[in-house]
Amino acid sequence: MNNRKLILSAISSSLLLACQFGWSQSATSVQVKARVALAQQTGKPLPLVPANAVPAGHYRPHIMVLSAMASQLPSLNAQFKPNLTLPSFCNKPRTGNGFQFCPNAMQAAYGVPFKKTPAGTISYDGTGMTIGIVDAYHYANASSDLDHFNAEMGLPACTAASGCFKQLDQNGGTNYCGANANWELETMLDLEWAHSIAPGAKIVLVEGCSNSFADLGAAVTTAVSLTDVVSNSYGAGEFSGENTYDSTYNVNKPILFSSGDNGTPTSYPCASPYATCVGGTSLRVNPTTFQRTLETGWSGSGGGCSSQEAQPGYQSANGVNGCGVFRATPDVAADADPNTGAIVYDSGNGGHYLVGGTSLASPVTAALYADVMQARHPFGQMNPSLYTAGCHGVADCTGTGKINAYYYYDVLTGNNGLAAGPGYDQVTGMGVSNAAHLGGLFGLN
């Protein structure tokens, strides 16, 4: 047997043992590294937690892994920060129109932080706002890893000592419990990329004691009570009786969920009418300026017609009618393709990783909304205004010219089992929010 076959055999054995012992409950860094190694061997992104590896009544993170980033040699990136040297794996094109995003490149692609009148004197970077991040299990190095990432990426510090960062248990205290390497990587993705897109915002991480519906539901309730917008990057397949959980998300604040990483159908809680369901795109940029050149629907983006949730009024009133009496998902989208993925630092799993999934799209979008919310105009439940802005009450929100291009980048191509296209679609919803213009909808000049 040659060395390649030996390696693949060892990896397969590790993955089998991981599944046997329960990915969702007892994952270790060894299992994470085995999953990453398999992705690198095959050249294909893999869900960090397979869909069939989580027991009923539990959620899994919607994060996908593609590669470990071994090189940490600095390279000059003088265009944006003349005195900053970034790790050499930052902002590098990959084969097949791929890209490895570090924060400054994605900021440029999505136009954040942004300035508005009068005279462009205020930079809207989330200052004065607080982003809630909900994840399962406790990660002891979350604060120090965030500090490391911010320093190497040239981002403002966000520390516990300054009051910018808080880490709480599901009830708002510090009685932490459990540890899980899969959720650890998810946690750092959420923290680092929420801060990357809204570097002026505070962050509250609320950790469920486990990934059960009950524990993560409690964590959501705590996060809602302490923050302005909440991002959740996990879900489960839809199920009979899910509606009984909807009351947890029926809150007077924006609450975002990732739509999934395996294409159609969508997941829950993303299908809840009270959630802003965030689908996924593949983001292409100019490799020199980092300006967006194209955004297409990502094949893994969860989406489709809910099998359980009734069509909400904000969809029926705005011409989103492709699912009949049921809710259509997602609502909006952002970068999620691991091939156009983000660099994440996680010391517990050994360093830097290139990751994606709608686990990336949710915190990026939540942070983008924190930038918009900086003026502290009340948002309440966000979906009615998002659809009014996107579809502006037309009889049918599908087709060329139906999405308001001032507020959204309309994603025209891509397929997750359904086809993306002009107007609302079940791959990317209304498209990618334009933060600088969307601000006007909520009262910014």
Side-chain angles (χ1 to χ4, degrees):
M1 185 179 289
N2 62 33
N3 288 339
R4 177 181 173 83
K5 289 182 178 178
L6 283 170
I7 292 171
L8 286 173
S9 176
I11 291 169
S12 298
S13 297
S14 297
L15 292 175
L16 178 60
L17 286 171
C19 288
Q20 289 173 337
F21 283 101
W23 277 92
S24 63
Q25 311 306 321
S26 59
T28 68
S29 61
V30 172
Q31 294 165 358
V32 170
K33 291 174 183 176
R35 193 70 169 166
V36 174
L38 183 58
Q40 291 182 168
Q41 285 287 334
T42 62
K44 296 179 180 179
L46 292 173
L48 189 56
V49 180
N52 62 358
V54 181
H58 292 73
Y59 295 121
R60 71 180 183 92
H62 288 149
I63 181 174
M64 299 191 78
V65 292
L66 182 55
S67 179
M69 299 284 101
S71 171
Q72 298 186 42
L73 298 175
S75 61
L76 188 64
N77 197 328
Q79 179 182 350
F80 289 88
K81 294 180 181 294
N83 298 318
L84 174 66
T85 55
L86 296 176
S88 60
F89 47 64
C90 279
N91 306 329
K92 297 294 185 182
R94 298 177 60 82
T95 58
N97 294 317
F99 200 77
Q100 298 173 180
F101 280 96
C102 284
N104 61 328
M106 194 173 289
Q107 286 175 350
Y110 283 151
V112 293
F114 63 93
K115 293 183 182 293
K116 298 292 286 184
T117 55
T121 55
I122 301 174
S123 178
Y124 289 95
D125 61 357
T127 296
M129 309 309 298
T130 302
I131 301 170
I133 299 294
V134 175
D135 281 303
Y137 302 103
H138 176 57
Y139 180 42
N141 293 350
S143 181
S144 59
D145 281 7
L146 180 60
D147 292 345
H148 179 101
F149 182 83
N150 291 339
E152 70 178 349
M153 298 299 175
L155 293 169
C158 185
T159 67
S162 70
C164 177
F165 176 70
K166 289 183 180 180
Q167 186 171 10
L168 304 172
D169 66 32
Q170 65 188 42
N171 299 311
T174 54
N175 295 314
Y176 307 122
C177 54
N180 182 290
N182 292 322
W183 283 88
E184 168 191 315
L185 187 57
E186 173 66 61
T187 294
M188 294 320 302
L189 165 60
D190 294 341
L191 293 178
E192 290 166 4
W193 282 88
H195 185 61
S196 295
I197 302 302
K202 295 180 179 179
I203 298 177
V204 175
L205 168 64
V206 185
E207 297 170 324
C209 196
S210 75
N211 59 330
S212 71
F213 290 176
D215 285 346
L216 283 172
V220 166
T221 298
T222 296
V224 166
S225 72
L226 298 172
T227 64
D228 298 294
V229 55
V230 181
S231 176
N232 305 265
S233 292
Y234 53 85
E238 286 201 273
F239 53 94
S240 177
E242 71 183 39
N243 319 70
T244 61
Y245 292 92
D246 281 348
S247 59
T248 301
Y249 315 113
N250 185 7
V251 297
N252 197 33
K253 289 181 181 177
I255 182 165
L256 283 65
F257 278 89
S258 56
S259 70
D261 57 16
N262 197 36
T264 56
T266 195
S267 66
Y268 186 84
C270 219
S272 169
Y274 305 113
T276 297
C277 186
V278 186
T281 68
S282 300
L283 174 62
R284 270 74 176 190
V285 297
N286 180 301
T288 302
T289 66
F290 306 145
Q291 297 299 304
R292 175 172 52 200
T293 58
L294 180 66
E295 208 156 354
T296 60
W298 174 51
S299 62
S301 176
C305 298
S306 171
S307 63
Q308 305 293 322
E309 304 282 354
Q311 182 187 46
Y314 55 77
Q315 289 190 331
S316 60
N318 286 288
V320 176
N321 50 28
C323 289
V325 298
F326 291 100
R327 167 148 162 68
T329 61
D331 301 307
V332 294
D335 187 31
D337 184 351
N339 287 297
T340 62
I343 302 296
V344 171
Y345 176 71
D346 170 14
S347 65
N349 279 312
H352 296 83
Y353 293 89
L354 179 63
V355 306
T358 52
S359 279
L360 172 61
S362 183
V364 163
T365 304
L368 185 151
Y369 291 156
D371 296 337
V372 175
M373 293 169 68
Q374 183 173 330
R376 285 197 176 274
H377 288 265
F379 270 26
Q381 290 182 3
M382 204 167 182
N383 288 0
S385 292
L386 292 178
Y387 276 87
T388 299
C391 296
H392 44 79
V394 299
D396 182 356
C397 195
T398 59
T400 302
K402 297 297 179 67
I403 289 293
N404 191 324
Y406 186 74
Y407 294 125
Y408 294 95
Y409 178 93
D410 191 4
V411 178
L412 304 179
T413 61
N415 193 296
N416 66 351
L418 298 167
Y424 179 89
D425 61 67
Q426 294 169 38
V427 185
T428 64
M430 291 174 290
V432 183
S433 300
N434 184 336
H437 292 168
L438 199 65
L441 181 69
F442 295 99
L444 301 181
N445 294 323

